[in-house]
Amino acid sequence: MSSAAVLGPTLDFLAELAGDGRALEFAIGTGRVGVPLRERGVPVVGIEFSEHMAAVLRRKVDEDVLPVVIGDMATTVVSGEFALVCLVYNTISNLLTQDEQVECFCNAARHLRPGGRFVIELGVPPLRFLPPGQVAVPFDVSEQHLGFDTFDLVEQVLVSHHVTRDGEDDRYRRDSSRHRFAWPAELDLMARIAGLELERRVADWDGAPFTQDSAKHISVWRKPA
């Protein structure tokens, strides 16, 4: 995810939207996107829930260069207005209720200057791969890793399961994480509640058209001027 092939188009996309303004990254994590975006000349501020991940970021860049506020991306407020608020790599799904996700949109709108944009990267729920009676969809089957998602269609929650091989001694570690999946149309309604308007939706950071076969989307909502 940090390779030039993956990260380059992401940074191009975000830097163009930020223009000469500031960017706020929700769930900035260890700075995979925020740090190189700052190196592109875009002033970046981050919000991050995990103090551990923020500490990793801090080893890369000083606080005065890239400030990070510890807190929940749905409610934490930082000072100033921004040309861009971004939330990448499916992270809005870490908010496990619709109310929390709506609050995230409202928080983005709260920070945007008139004409500013909120950008989300999110996978499209792969429910068409679920035949009757099946609840799991694999997304990676390799020598070192087995990954599959299970779905609760009533609660709109998926659980990602990971079975990872540690080293070469045939020992395996199992991990899982819960996420709330949402369709693009549901996100558009959240944006309307927050006072934002859909400006653009594409299938990837290179700008490929979004179609019924797209596995994910990059959506851009604009705060009216």
Side-chain angles (χ1 to χ4, degrees), residues 81-99:
E81 289 188 324
F82 296 84
L84 173 69
V85 177
C86 58
L87 181 54
V88 302
Y89 200 54
N90 301 321
T91 311
I92 194 171
S93 69
N94 291 349
L95 300 173
L96 297 179
T97 69
Q98 186 182 72
D99 286 344

Side-chain angles (χ1 to χ4, degrees), residues 4 11 13 55 83 95 157 216 225:
L11 298 175
F13 194 105
L95 300 173
V157 168
K216 73 173 185 178

Side-chain angles (χ1 to χ4, degrees), residues 120-131:
I120 281 182
E121 175 187 20
L122 184 62
V124 176
L127 300 188
R128 58 200 249 167
F129 295 108
L130 283 176

Side-chain angles (χ1 to χ4, degrees), residues 41-86:
V42 177
V44 177
V45 177
I47 294 175
E48 175 53 46
F49 187 75
S50 167
E51 294 186 12
H52 174 72
M53 296 184 78
V56 175
L57 181 150
R58 191 53 61 224
R59 293 198 290 267
K60 301 176 183 178
V61 62
D62 293 336
E63 173 73 18
D64 58 344
V65 176
L66 200 166
V68 175
V69 177
I70 301 299
D72 182 348
M73 62 186 170
T75 59
T76 301
V77 177
V78 301
S79 60
E81 289 188 324
F82 296 84
L84 173 69
V85 177
C86 58

Side-chain angles (χ1 to χ4, degrees), residues 101-120:
Q101 292 180 351
V102 169
E103 283 301 313
C104 184
F105 272 82
C106 292
N107 201 29
R110 182 182 297 121
H111 286 92
L112 288 173
R113 70 188 187 188
R117 277 92 169 196
F118 182 34
V119 179
I120 281 182

